[in-house]
Amino acid sequence: MQTTLAVLFALMAAVSNALATVLQRYAARTVPLSVGLGPALIGELLRKPVWLAGFGAVIAAALCQALALLNGELSLVQPLFILELPFALFIGGMVLRRRLPRRGWLAVGCMVVGLGMGLWAASPSPGVDRPRTEVWAMALPSCVVAVLLLLAVAVRRPAGRLRAACFGLGAAICYALTAGLLKDATQVWNTDGVAAFFTSWQTYGFALVGVAAVFLLENALQSGPLVASQPALTLGDATVSLTLGVTVFEEQLRGGWFVLPMLLGALLVVCGAFILVRVPLIHTLVAPDAPR
């Protein structure tokens, strides 16, 4: 029952995130370019009901993700967010009245089949609810060092595929780490109450790392093509989440011959992502507007 709830809430979070992307992107395109960045832009967006609806969808997505992580394994919940991109395509197609081309449907099919195959093969089993502090003391610096190394490579490269991929992978690590800290924080709320939640370091940790993830993602989108950043983000988030699930939360994945369908599923997801990021509608929904 808990696994079913975790999957349901994770899918609801993915849909909410996709809806937020579409609505906020649609609102941003209606703001005059002369407004530019800064307080004036925020003021303009706050007067847009569509943007406010998108912000509400962001909050709904965070709540659904918290409930998903409370009821299920990190190794199960976080990979399901791969479906956020296909959901954004469907919703964006309806909002912008554009049809998804045949190759788009092929890409979505590859991602859904690959994700289903990978999760079936992995079949993550429950681990500990509250990781030990010493385990976090090893996991956090490892993630921070990995992100800093990727940033060091990215800032030394001109705009292009490698720079975008490095920023995208850095964002993926931060998103996975945010989910892990959020899962721990929700358990604090569940066992010790609201006051403990707002005084635990995990709460402020996931908030801080979440901001860093958004910052890195924006840099990835501005640094190069989606064909470089999105697959790094998609596969990186799932891979790091699985790693944190096993090492921090002591979740168990099936081994043996099940590794083969896991790898095949990952390959299908990557192939689908590579195809999907070439669909023009994705650039309208995700990529920054080109200078005009």
Side-chain angles (χ1 to χ4, degrees):
M1 180 63 179
Q2 279 192 314
T3 299
T4 302
L5 285 174
V7 171
L8 178 61
F9 282 124
L11 292 176
M12 290 171 61
V15 171
S16 296
N17 269 333
L19 179 61
T21 296
V22 174
L23 293 179
Q24 293 187 330
R25 187 72 179 150
Y26 182 82
R29 289 169 65 87
T30 65
V31 174
L33 291 176
S34 58
V35 172
L37 297 174
L41 175 61
I42 300 300
E44 284 285 342
L45 291 174
L46 286 174
R47 289 196 288 269
K48 302 285 184 181
V50 174
W51 188 88
L52 292 174
F55 186 75
V58 170
I59 296 174
L63 292 175
C64 288
Q65 184 181 14
L67 290 171
L69 291 168
L70 182 63
N71 286 281
E73 297 75 41
L74 181 67
S75 306
L76 170 67
V77 171
Q78 203 62 13
L80 288 170
F81 281 83
I82 288 172
L83 298 178
E84 179 183 331
L85 199 58
F87 284 143
L89 264 182
F90 295 142
I91 298 171
M94 291 186 292
V95 171
L96 301 177
R97 297 180 182 179
R98 297 188 186 180
R99 296 180 62 183
L100 188 64
R102 184 174 299 178
R103 71 178 184 276
W105 287 108
L106 173 64
V108 170
C110 283
M111 294 181 75
V112 171
V113 171
L115 179 62
M117 181 184 300
L119 288 177
W120 168 79
S123 187
S125 59
V128 298
D129 290 334
R130 297 291 312 281
R132 291 169 293 151
T133 303
E134 55 267 30
V135 176
W136 272 126
M138 291 186 290
L140 283 171
S142 299
C143 291
V144 171
V145 168
V147 171
L148 290 177
L149 288 174
L150 288 166
L151 286 178
V153 174
V155 296
R156 287 174 169 79
R157 295 286 178 173
R161 292 173 183 263
L162 180 58
R163 183 183 175 96
C166 287
F167 275 123
L169 188 53
I173 294 173
C174 288
Y175 275 121
L177 184 57
T178 299
L181 291 169
L182 176 60
K183 179 175 176 61
D184 200 358
T186 56
Q187 289 296 338
V188 173
W189 182 309
N190 190 45
T191 57
D192 300 329
V194 178
F197 173 81
F198 284 106
T199 56
S200 69
W201 67 267
Q202 293 92 333
T203 300
Y204 300 96
F206 82 71
L208 180 62
V209 178
V211 171
V214 173
F215 173 77
L216 291 174
L217 177 59
E218 289 299 321
N219 277 275
L221 294 176
Q222 294 176 354
S223 296
L226 280 174
V227 72
S229 60
Q230 192 62 45
L233 178 68
T234 299
L235 190 60
D237 188 355
T239 302
V240 178
S241 294
L242 287 171
T243 303
L244 290 177
V246 171
T247 59
V248 176
F249 289 90
E250 300 178 26
E251 298 166 0
Q252 299 293 319
L253 306 181
R254 291 197 289 194
W257 72 271
F258 287 104
V259 173
L260 293 177
M262 267 191 272
L263 293 176
L264 179 57
L267 181 61
L268 286 173
V269 169
V270 172
C271 290
F274 269 110
I275 299 172
L276 203 58
V277 294
R278 297 180 183 274
V279 175
L281 180 57
I282 283 291
H283 292 264
T284 301
L285 295 175
V286 180
D289 290 324
R292 287 175 286 179

